[in-house]
Amino acid sequence: MLRSDAVTKGIQRSPNRAMLRAVGFGDEDFGKPIIGIANGFSTITPCNVGLDDLARRAEESARHAGGMPQMFGTITVSDGISMGTEGMKYSLVSREVIADAIETACNGQSMDGVLAVGGCDKNMPGAMIAMARMNIPSVFVYGGTIKPGKLGGCDLTVVSAFEAVGQLTSGKIDEAQLTAVEKNACPGAGSCGGMFTANTMSAAIETMGLSLPFSSTMAAEDEEKADSAARSAEVLVDAVNANIRPLDLLTKEAFENAISVIMAVGGSTNAVLHLLAIARTAGVDLTIDDFERIRQRVPVICDLKPSGRYVTVDLHNAGGIPQVMKLLLDAGLLHGDCRTVEGKSLKELLAAVPSEPPAGQDVIRPLSNPLYKKGHLAILKGNLAREGSVAKISGVKTPVLTGPARVFESEEDCLAAILEKQIKAGDVVVVRYEGPVGGPGMREMLAPTSAIVGQGLGDKVALITDGRFSGGTYGLVVGHVAPEAAVGGTIGLVQEGDSITVDADQLLLQLNVDDAELERRRATWSKPIPRYRTGILGKYARLVSTSSRGATTDHAD
C-alpha cells in the first residue's frame, strides 16, 4: 500500500484523480509511487542557478524507474549576497522555511517519497529537517561545488573577495586589484568552493547515507553531477519499494560519523548548529558536548580552504568523502554498520575504496601525518558561555588570548571600526545581540573576520559573538555563544575594556570579572525591545531555541 493511495484510490477520489490527470497522470500512473521533487532552483545565487537541470534529470529518471514525479519549488537566501546586510537575518530563518515548505508539499499531497535538490547553505539542513519530520523515503541531491576562480596563478573563492576588502583598507592592494579579485572569484555555477558550510553539509549528508557516494564533492557544471542526480532518483524509487526511511538511517552512530568526517575535512562551524537541529527533529540524543568528545580523537587530515590550500574539486579528485571515510573506518573512527539509502552498510559501500590516499597529492593526508592531531571545532565553555560556544581553531597560531573587550552591539558597528583601523593586536572583539532571538536570525560574520584577516590581524585578535560565522571564516573566532545576550546571557553584561580570556587549549571562554560585579550588572540589565514584532523574523524570534540546541523552531519546549 502506498501513502499516495489516500488521493488516488477509490470512487470517492475521482475528483482528486481528475486534477491529477490535468498535470499528466494517466490510468496506469495511479498505482505508481508519487515522488516529490523539491527543486531549490533560482537565479538568486550561483549556488542554485544550475539546480533546475538536475531536478529535470531526476524527474525523468524517477519516471523511468517506475515512479510518478511531481515537482515543486523551495526558496533560498544567498548568504554571500546578503552577507553584511540586514538581509542576512533571513539566512538561518530560511532553513526553517525550506523545511516547512517541503513538509507542507509532501504531506499535503500524500507523496510517497521526496528527492530534494539544493545548493546554498541552508538548503541542505532545511531539507534534512523536513525528511526527519516526515520520515518518508528520501534522498538529497547536492547542486555541486563551484570551480575555483583563477587570478595570477592562484585559486580564488568568494572569501578571497571578502578578504580583499580588508587588504584594500590596510593598503596591501589597490582598487584595481580588488576589482580583479571581484571579477574572477566566482567563475560559474555552484556553491562556494572551499570547505565552507554548503560543502560541509553536503559531506555530512553523504556520510549519513542520504546522498549517493562521491556526490557531495562533484563540481556543479560537470556531467557526472547530472548523472548522479538521475541515479539518485532511481535509488529513491527503490527505497520507496523497500521502505527505507530517513529515521532508519539517522541514528546516533550516523551523526557521530558525520561529525568525524566534518572534523577530518576541516568543516564549517555551522555544521554544529545544523546537525544539532536535524538530530533534535529526528529524536536523536545529540548534544554540543558530543562534538568535543569526537574532536579529541579525530584529526584534521584534509588541507582545504578557508584556512588550507585546496578547494573542494581538489578533494573530489583525490577520492572525495568516500576516501576520507575509508581512512577513518580503517582507524576505528567510523561506525561501519550504519546503513545508507541504497540499503548498504558503510563498510560495504567503502569496500572498494583504497586504504591509503592516492599518491602524488596532499589534499588528503594519511592519519599518521595529519594537519592537526585533533579536530578543529572546539566547544568552549565558561562564565561567558555556560551552555557552550563553538571555536574554529584550524590555522590558528595563537590559540590563547587574554585582552581587552571591544564591544559592539551589531555587526555593522564592528565592521566600521575594523575598516577605520580602531581594532588593535591583542583586542577581543565582542559582537552581541546577533543571536537567534536578538538578531533575530543569528547573522554570519564573514565581513568583519575577513577584514581582520585582510589587515593582517588574523592571529592577533579574537572575535566572539552570539551570532554565527561563515563557513569561510578562520582565525581565533568563537561563535554561537549561549545563552545569547538577548535572553540575559553574560555576553550582554560585558563592558568596554573588560578582560576576556579565549583559551582553545583549556576550552575556556571567560569574562575576567568577579561574580559580585556580574550580579550588580545583571540587576541593572533589561531585556531589549524586539527588533521585529511581525513578519517571519518576529515569528522566528518568538519560537526559536538556543543555539546550543540547534536554534530550531522544531521543538516541544
Side-chain angles (χ1 to χ4, degrees):
M1 181 176 176
L2 295 171
R3 196 167 87 130
S4 58
D5 288 351
V7 296
T8 62
K9 296 295 175 67
I11 294 173
Q12 71 274 27
R13 296 299 179 231
S14 180
N16 311 61
R17 291 192 297 272
M19 295 194 73
L20 289 170
R21 290 179 190 278
V23 295
F25 279 66
D27 290 343
E28 71 283 359
D29 297 322
F30 292 115
K32 297 175 182 177
I34 295 178
I35 303 298
I37 309 288
N39 184 358
F41 165 73
S42 76
T43 57
I44 288 175
T45 169
C47 309
N48 290 48
V49 73
L51 299 189
D52 198 48
D53 291 340
L54 302 182
R56 297 294 174 188
R57 280 290 301 273
E59 180 184 41
E60 179 185 13
S61 181
R63 184 175 286 110
H64 288 163
M68 195 58 191
Q70 289 196 300
M71 191 178 297
F72 60 92
T74 67
I75 61 101
T76 198
V77 171
S78 170
D79 290 11
I81 296 171
S82 65
M83 193 74 68
T85 75
E86 194 75 0
M88 173 49 84
K89 292 182 177 180
Y90 290 84
S91 170
L92 185 59
V93 177
S94 75
R95 184 188 73 183
E96 311 301 302
V97 175
I98 292 164
D100 292 349
I102 294 174
E103 177 193 359
T104 300
C106 290
N107 282 351
Q109 301 305 125
S110 301
M111 294 175 181
D112 298 296
V114 64
L115 181 148
V117 188
C120 201
D121 294 3
K122 308 311 172 296
N123 296 183
M124 279 69 76
M128 291 290 286
I129 288 170
M131 292 172 184
R133 287 179 188 171
M134 299 184 296
N135 197 32
I136 61 174
S138 308
V139 70
F140 184 80
V141 173
Y142 180 43
T145 183
I146 196 171
K147 293 181 179 179
K150 301 287 185 180
L151 184 65
C154 296
D155 285 348
L156 300 182
T157 69
V158 68
V159 175
S160 307
F162 281 98
E163 291 178 359
V165 174
Q167 292 167 346
L168 176 69
T169 60
S170 63
K172 294 181 178 180
I173 63 173
D174 58 26
E175 287 193 30
Q177 290 169 299
L178 173 66
T179 301
V181 172
E182 174 188 325
K183 289 183 175 180
N184 289 278
C186 300
S191 299
C192 301
M195 191 46 68
F196 310 148
T197 303
N199 287 321
T200 299
M201 289 309 300
S202 66
I205 296 170
E206 180 180 328
T207 302
M208 292 191 289
L210 278 158
S211 285
L212 299 193
F214 300 100
S215 65
S216 67
T217 52
M218 293 174 179
E221 297 179 335
D222 287 351
E223 186 60 29
E224 65 175 345
K225 172 49 66 177
D227 293 340
S228 178
R231 174 61 185 152
S232 297
E234 296 172 359
V235 168
L236 177 58
V237 173
D238 289 342
V240 172
N241 293 330
N243 198 29
I244 298 173
R245 297 172 180 258
L247 296 188
D248 299 331
L249 311 179
L250 294 175
T251 62
K252 177 67 175 283
E253 291 76 17
F255 281 97
E256 291 180 340
N257 284 347
I259 295 170
S260 295
V261 167
I262 288 165
M263 294 295 178
V265 301
S268 167
T269 55
N270 286 310
V272 178
L273 196 74
H274 297 323
L275 288 180
L276 287 171
I278 297 164
R280 189 167 176 78
T281 303
V284 172
D285 182 22
L286 189 74
T287 72
I288 197 169
D289 295 323
D290 288 316
F291 288 82
E292 182 58 38
R293 172 175 58 83
I294 293 171
R295 182 185 83 86
Q296 292 293 332
R297 58 188 177 87
V298 178
V300 179
I301 59 172
C302 296
D303 190 3
L304 298 169
K305 291 179 182 292
S307 62
R309 294 178 292 165
Y310 298 105
V311 294
T312 303
V313 291
D314 299 317
L315 174 61
H316 187 64
N317 293 334
I321 296 305
Q323 181 64 80
V324 175
M325 286 197 290
K326 184 58 174 284
L327 299 179
L328 296 176
L329 179 67
D330 288 351
L333 298 173
L334 208 69
H335 302 288
D337 55 348
C338 287
R339 312 297 293 184
T340 74
V341 68
E342 295 181 273
K344 301 176 182 177
S345 71
L346 281 183
K347 187 175 182 180
E348 291 171 326
L349 204 68
L350 300 173
V353 177
S355 292
E356 295 291 334
Q361 60 81 41
D362 55 358
V363 182
I364 305 175
R365 297 190 182 189
L367 268 74
S368 59
N369 182 32
L371 272 82
Y372 307 100
K373 294 181 179 179
K374 294 182 180 179
H376 64 300
L377 299 180
I379 306 303
L380 275 53
K381 294 186 177 182
N383 67 354
L384 256 180
R386 297 195 184 280
E387 293 178 15
S389 61
V390 183
K392 188 175 185 180
I393 58 176
S394 54
V396 174
K397 298 176 183 176
T398 310
V400 180
L401 178 66
T402 296
R406 301 298 315 278
V407 182
F408 301 95
E409 310 300 336
S410 72
E411 177 188 356
E412 288 85 353
D413 291 345
C414 174
L415 181 60
I418 294 168
L419 295 180
E420 291 170 7
K421 300 183 182 178
Q422 296 177 13
I423 304 302
K424 307 299 181 185
D427 286 346
V428 178
V429 177
V430 178
V431 185
R432 64 190 181 190
Y433 295 102
E434 290 284 5
V437 174
M442 211 177 176
R443 286 193 292 183
E444 293 182 352
M445 307 283 168
L446 180 57
T449 57
S450 295
I452 286 172
V453 170
Q455 290 184 358
L457 295 172
D459 291 319
K460 304 177 180 68
V461 169
L463 196 154
I464 68 173
T465 181
D466 51 8
R468 296 182 294 134
F469 291 111
S470 163
T473 295
Y474 64 101
L476 189 56
V477 296
V478 186
H480 310 194
V481 171
E484 62 174 292
V487 300
T490 305
I491 190 173
L493 307 180
V494 179
Q495 295 181 359
E496 185 79 10
D498 282 349
S499 172
I500 292 178
T501 295
V502 181
D503 189 335
D505 292 335
Q506 298 299 316
L507 306 178
L508 181 68
L509 185 61
Q510 189 77 7
L511 175 61
N512 300 314
V513 173
D514 65 60
D515 291 343
E517 172 60 20
L518 286 179
E519 286 307 309
R520 282 191 291 271
R521 294 182 188 181
R522 197 177 302 279
T524 62
W525 178 85
S526 58
K527 188 172 184 176
I529 297 171
R531 288 169 171 165
Y532 292 85
R533 293 184 179 274
T534 60
I536 194 166
L537 292 183
K539 183 193 306 182
Y540 182 85
R542 291 190 295 273
L543 293 175
V544 69
S545 71
T546 177
S547 61
S548 67
R549 302 179 75 179
T552 177
T553 59
D554 198 26
H555 58 97
D557 54 325

